Amino acid sequence: MVSRMMRMPVQPNKAIVGKNAFAHSSGIHQDGVLKFRENYEIINPEDVGIDQSEIILTARSGRHALKHHLERLGYIIEKINLDDVYERFLVLADSKKEIKDDDLLLLMGDGTERNYKDGITIKLLQVMCGDPLIPTAMVKLEIHEKVYEAVASGNGPVDATIRAMDSIIKKEVALKEFHIDAIHGGSNDTSKVNMRVKYGDKYYAGYGFSSDIVKASANAYLDAINKFI
């Protein structure tokens, strides 16, 4: 609340209330948190405005953390050889700083580059906004080789775009986090958008890049949506 009222974001490494205070990447910490959260967290993340703890997959993560994320993505652990998956996970983790959902889906796949990004795609995005115009977005999405179109208005171009996408997808999705960052700087720079949405009782992260912040936001939202569609 203080951060919102002062319009100043809380830095991730801020003690007690920073996001990193509830992010765990060490294998022993992850195992302890998954078994009994109070082992390493003395307060609830919700008490300081953070939705939940975050288990980050790195080369230091153990089997328990890997199992947690695989179950979150819908895999039935009893039907897979976790030891074999973990060995392949370590090889991949040694070459990357952090393992994302994309990497896990590829790891569990047939060795090809196919993953959930072959699902819903944006075929057209057109936005009209300004003063005193009402922000309006027209979106065309391709779902299973069929194209669906929707038009919606909102309190801004990003809001209008998300509303239009929601009217096509028809899922009860709640946007929980939305961050826009310039990669280098300048008005013509490429923007990076991070989103976190809630669907059911699970959270999904999405990432998008573009020199157009509306398109980057749409890509990030769709990236998150495709993880549970």
Side-chain angles (χ1 to χ4, degrees):
M1 182 183 66
V2 174
S3 173
R4 184 173 66 252
M5 296 297 290
M6 296 186 67
R7 299 184 180 180
M8 295 178 64
V10 178
Q11 60 266 37
N13 62 343
K14 181 73 172 179
I16 306 299
V17 297
K19 187 175 181 180
N20 287 353
F22 301 93
H24 308 278
S25 60
S26 171
I28 188 66
H29 282 212
Q30 292 173 336
D31 183 65
V33 169
L34 290 171
K35 287 179 177 176
F36 187 66
R37 185 188 60 79
E38 287 79 0
N39 282 329
Y40 292 99
E41 295 179 2
I42 62 173
I43 60 176
N44 293 321
E46 294 86 354
D47 293 341
V48 292
I50 298 175
D51 290 320
Q52 63 177 8
S53 302
E54 187 176 4
I55 303 297
I56 302 173
L57 285 178
T58 67
R60 297 178 297 164
S61 298
R63 288 173 174 79
H64 199 170
L66 177 61
K67 177 183 176 182
H68 166 76
H69 280 284
L70 291 177
E71 289 178 335
R72 179 178 60 81
L73 292 173
Y75 289 100
I76 301 175
I77 301 301
E78 290 75 13
K79 293 186 178 181
I80 65 176
N81 186 334
L82 186 59
D83 290 335
D84 177 63
V85 175
Y86 183 69
E87 291 302 321
R88 290 186 283 119
F89 162 79
L90 289 179
V91 174
L92 181 62
D94 283 338
S95 63
K96 301 190 67 173
K97 181 178 179 180
E98 185 176 334
I99 300 298
K100 302 290 187 180
D101 287 353
D102 271 351
D103 304 309
L104 288 180
L105 291 168
L106 180 61
L107 188 70
M108 298 298 293
D110 55 6
T112 68
E113 293 294 333
R114 292 180 54 84
N115 55 37
Y116 60 79
K117 289 187 176 178
D118 296 312
I120 303 176
T121 56
I122 299 175
K123 304 303 293 183
L124 181 142
L125 172 59
Q126 183 174 325
V127 176
M128 179 179 67
C129 62
D131 187 11
L133 299 177
I134 297 175
T136 305
M138 180 176 70
V139 176
K140 290 184 180 180
L141 300 180
E142 182 177 336
I143 307 174
H144 302 309
E145 299 183 351
K146 292 184 179 181
V147 177
Y148 301 85
E149 179 181 330
V151 177
S153 58
N155 60 13
V158 174
D159 182 50
T161 300
I162 290 178
R163 288 175 181 267
M165 296 170 70
D166 283 342
S167 67
I168 297 174
I169 298 169
K170 301 185 186 305
K171 299 288 185 181
E172 293 293 332
V173 181
L175 180 58
K176 292 297 184 180
E177 290 186 15
F178 177 35
H179 299 284
I180 301 178
D181 297 295
I183 294 180
H184 299 294
S187 60
N188 62 344
D189 188 20
T190 298
S191 297
K192 177 181 69 174
V193 173
N194 299 336
M195 283 190 182
R196 193 155 70 101
V197 305
K198 184 179 181 182
Y199 176 66
D201 59 349
K202 295 183 179 180
Y203 291 84
Y204 302 87
Y207 304 92
F209 301 88
S210 178
S211 57
D212 183 335
I213 62 173
V214 178
K215 183 178 179 181
S217 300
N219 289 339
Y221 190 68
L222 194 59
D223 183 41
I225 295 297
N226 270 325
K227 291 177 180 177
F228 62 80
I229 289 292

